[in-house]
Amino acid sequence: QVQLVESGGGLVQVGGSLRLSCQASLRIFRLNAMGWHRQAPGNERELVAAISREGSTNYAHSVEGRFTISRDNAKNTVYLQMNSLKPEDTAVYYCNSNGPVGNYWGQGTQVTVSS
């Protein structure tokens, strides 16, 4: 069954904002850390941001100060607020849940930043 459902990608101009959402099944959301990764064409998948069950966060250096990850425990949803977007942020963004109940990936959502 589908464990992670993503939404919110799209096309935006340089300097714009987007918010990605990822709704997880109750079990994995409660027990796992959540994160966002991205993969641009020709590049390896890389961690963008992660948030623990307790709310501790960490970010890739390239997005610090521009992106914010958060989780809504009442909705089993993790968000990635992306501001001041740059062309180099263009990629497929994947939601990830990793922890004691396994490692799960969303289907990916395209983010394209036009200059």
Side-chain angles (χ1 to χ4, degrees):
Q1 66 275 24
V2 178
Q3 305 280 5
L4 301 173
V5 179
E6 302 163 358
S7 61
L11 174 65
V12 64
Q13 291 187 333
V14 169
S17 298
L18 282 174
R19 189 177 79 158
L20 306 182
S21 300
C22 173
Q23 186 172 38
S25 64
L26 176 62
R27 181 168 178 259
I28 67 172
F29 189 84
R30 291 278 178 89
L31 297 178
N32 280 1
M34 302 292 295
W36 290 94
H37 292 65
R38 68 186 180 187
Q39 188 168 19
N43 290 356
E44 294 185 354
R45 193 173 296 189
E46 62 175 356
L47 175 67
V48 176
I51 186 166
S52 70
R53 292 184 302 165
E54 296 78 18
S56 298
T57 59
N58 65 284
Y59 296 92
H61 179 71
S62 60
V63 307
E64 279 182 331
R66 299 188 297 122
F67 291 11
T68 303
I69 189 170
S70 61
R71 58 192 296 160
D72 184 336
N73 293 333
K75 297 181 178 180
N76 303 338
T77 299
V78 62
Y79 302 99
L80 185 68
Q81 178 67 44
M82 304 185 292
N83 299 328
S84 303
L85 282 161
K86 304 176 181 180
E88 51 263 43
D89 294 318
T90 295
V92 177
Y93 284 70
Y94 296 91
C95 180
N96 172 256
S97 177
N98 186 47
V101 294
N103 187 45
Y104 301 89
W105 292 94
Q107 78 279 9
T109 185
Q110 177 71 46
V111 171
T112 302
V113 184
S114 65
S115 56

